[in-house]
């Protein structure tokens, strides 16, 4: 068994967090299975309405008494974008809609995402073991209010400046998201394209810059990766892509299949699906939309939503947002519980092998 102060505080069998993946992969079944197996299952509730948040949390509690996490995007929403200003972004995707036999895309209306205050109120009611933020920070009073309810609060960072700000706001831990990570870049103080420091370097920099526990995220797919970031001073590892092929994951089957098919790093960062930079498996949409106009986040997410769903249902990877980290070729199609057991065995083996090398 591998334990850290952080994992022991949460009662985890392994210092591993199943990354909160919004938009489907972090299904209630996956969260329940990961928590029951001794990791920290996590919901990505960025686009989830409060009532559904409560229902999904209740499902997990019906399956296990172990802790789970909830994550929200806290980036500010743009003011309402009039139909005329949306014309270019809609025209850019119209041909893809036609190709899939969909009606022409229509202008999207505000609000473009669920009300954040209502989501926070739902978190306070749910009282998960852990709550984390992405794409920004909460005010100090909200952080303290959540902590007063015995919720461990953390946030994602992509640079040392963001880590220091979170520490000043009084959070309990920090997630250092390296440039290899799949999904949305958590940057909010720097240009996301200038904040792509690799996981190993970023973890070490953040560990030395703050006094809080640090969780490593980005490109970690097996036990050896977990052991590596623990050796750098991380208190836990957060894995997202590794859990997408699990049968419990809510990702489209084509997303799972593509992860298992790729043999090299074929990921790139795009803003065209949601309006903010995110890393995923390269596909036709990313390439053909590279120079096309887009709406601000999260309005662009509404523009592409119907297209992504239809492409997934048709078994076509062309227009699906297949978020994935750079180590995607290490993916394994295993039930979540079995994968977590393998991660534990691999991490122990890696630690023992390293100790043997040091002794020799």
């Amino acid at each position: 068994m591998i334990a850290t102060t952080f994992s022991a505080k949460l009662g985890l069998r392994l210092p591993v967090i199943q990354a909160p993946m919004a938009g489907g992969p972090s299904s209630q079944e996956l969260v329940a299975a990961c928590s029951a197996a001794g990791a920290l299952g996590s919901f990505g509730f960025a686009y989830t309405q409060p009532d559904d948040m409560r229902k999904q949390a209740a499902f997990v509690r019906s399956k296990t008494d172990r802790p789970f996490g909830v994550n929200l995007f806290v980036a500010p929403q743009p003011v309402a974008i009039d139909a005329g200003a949306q014309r270019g972004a809609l025209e850019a995707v119209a041909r893809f809609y036609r190709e899939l036999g969909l009606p022409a895309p229509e202008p999207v209306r505000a609000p473009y995402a669920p009300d954040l205050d209502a989501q926070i109120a739902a978190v306070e009611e749910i009282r998960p073991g852990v709550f984390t933020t992405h794409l920004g920070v909460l005010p100090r009073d909200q952080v303290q209010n959540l902590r007063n309810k015995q919720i461990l609060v953390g946030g994602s960072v992509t640079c040392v400046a963001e880590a220091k700000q979170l520490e000043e706001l009084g959070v309990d831990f920090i997630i250092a998201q390296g440039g290899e990570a799949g999904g949305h870049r958590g940057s909010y103080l720097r240009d996301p394209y200038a904040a792509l420091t690799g996981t190993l370097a970023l973890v070490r920099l953040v560990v030395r810059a703050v006094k809080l526990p640090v969780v490593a995220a980005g490109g970690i797919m097996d036990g050896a990766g977990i052991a590596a970031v623990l050796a750098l001073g991380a208190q836990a590892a957060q894995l997202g892509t590794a859990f997408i092929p699990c049968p419990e994951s809510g990702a489209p089957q084509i997303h799972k299949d593509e992860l298992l098919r790729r043999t090299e790093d074929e990921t790139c960062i795009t803003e065209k699906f949601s309006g903010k930079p995110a890393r995923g498996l390269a596909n036709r949409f990313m390439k053909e939309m590279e120079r096309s106009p887009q709406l601000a986040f999260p309005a662009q997410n509404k523009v592409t939503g119907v297209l992504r769903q239809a492409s997934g249902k048709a078994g076509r990877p062309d227009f699906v947002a297949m978020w994935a980290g750079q180590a995607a070729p290490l993916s394994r199609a295993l039930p979540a519980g079995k994968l977590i057991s393998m991660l534990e065995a691999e991490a122990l083996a890696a630690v023992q092998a390293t100790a043997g090398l040091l002794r020799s």
Side-chain angles (χ1 to χ4, degrees), residues 220-257:
I220 306 168
M221 294 289 289
D222 56 21
I226 295 168
V229 296
L230 293 180
L232 291 172
Q235 285 279 310
Q238 180 168 284
L239 287 67
T241 307
F243 288 101
I244 291 177
C246 294
E248 300 94 339
S249 161
Q253 188 59 46
I254 191 63
H255 188 174
K256 299 179 181 184
D257 293 343

Side-chain angles (χ1 to χ4, degrees), residues 24-347:
S26 291
S27 66
Q28 58 188 18
E29 291 81 9
L30 180 63
V31 174
C34 289
S35 287
L40 183 73
S42 303
F43 284 111
F45 278 153
Y47 310 116
T48 308
Q49 294 293 344
D51 284 348
D52 201 25
M53 291 170 59
R54 296 182 184 96
K55 290 176 183 176
Q56 292 189 48
F59 174 89
V60 171
R61 288 208 165 103
S62 74
K63 301 296 182 181
T64 179
D65 60 359
R66 290 181 176 271
F68 61 89
V70 167
N71 173 269
L72 293 175
F73 287 173
V74 296
Q77 288 199 37
V79 295
I81 307 169
D82 66 52
Q86 296 188 36
R87 188 172 297 115
L90 295 174
E91 289 175 351
V93 299
R95 60 193 175 99
F96 303 133
Y97 274 65
R98 288 194 298 270
E99 186 174 329
L100 288 176
L102 298 169
E106 298 181 354
V108 295
R109 298 178 180 179
Y112 306 111
D115 179 78
L116 180 59
D117 288 336
Q119 287 181 312
I120 294 292
V123 172
E124 293 176 352
E125 183 180 330
I126 292 167
R127 295 201 180 192
V130 169
F131 170 74
T132 58
T133 58
H134 204 62
L135 301 175
V137 297
L138 293 178
R140 185 188 302 274
D141 60 339
Q142 283 191 316
V143 170
Q144 192 55 51
N145 186 50
L146 290 163
R147 295 184 72 230
N148 288 343
K149 296 182 183 300
Q150 308 306 308
I151 301 171
L152 214 62
V153 179
S156 294
V157 307
T158 60
C159 63
V160 169
E162 291 168 350
K164 288 183 175 180
Q165 184 184 61
L166 274 174
E167 185 174 45
E168 291 170 359
L169 288 171
V171 303
D172 296 290
F173 68 100
I174 288 167
I175 303 165
Q177 185 196 36
E180 302 96 320
H184 285 87
R185 303 298 305 149
S187 306
Y188 61 92
L189 288 182
R190 293 178 62 187
D191 179 344
Y193 294 99
L196 291 170
T197 303
T199 301
L200 297 185
L202 182 64
V203 167
R204 196 63 190 149
L205 288 168
V206 173
V207 165
R208 293 186 63 175
V210 301
K211 297 179 181 179
L212 298 174
V214 175
V215 174
I220 306 168
M221 294 289 289
D222 56 21
I226 295 168
V229 296
L230 293 180
L232 291 172
Q235 285 279 310
Q238 180 168 284
L239 287 67
T241 307
F243 288 101
I244 291 177
C246 294
E248 300 94 339
S249 161
Q253 188 59 46
I254 191 63
H255 188 174
K256 299 179 181 184
D257 293 343
E258 286 293 303
L259 280 173
L260 299 170
R261 184 182 69 80
R262 307 289 176 110
T263 58
E264 299 287 345
D265 172 26
E266 299 176 33
T267 65
C268 62
I269 296 176
T270 182
E271 300 175 21
K272 303 306 177 181
F273 279 115
S274 72
K276 276 197 177 289
R279 183 182 295 281
L281 296 177
N283 63 4
R284 185 178 151 202
F285 184 84
M286 290 185 184
K287 295 171 184 175
E288 295 185 14
M289 284 287 290
E290 189 173 0
R291 289 179 171 79
S292 298
Q294 70 193 44
L295 299 184
F297 175 88
Q300 179 70 8
N301 190 65
K302 277 197 167 184
V303 170
T304 64
V306 173
L307 180 66
R308 288 181 277 122
Q309 291 176 11
S311 186
K313 288 180 180 178
R316 293 180 55 176
D318 298 331
F319 314 116
V320 179
M322 298 180 291
W323 303 140
Q326 288 184 324
L330 298 177
S331 297
R332 296 172 280 193
L334 296 170
K338 185 172 182 180
L339 176 58
I340 289 167
S341 293
M342 289 189 67
L343 292 172
E344 182 178 22
E346 291 168 351

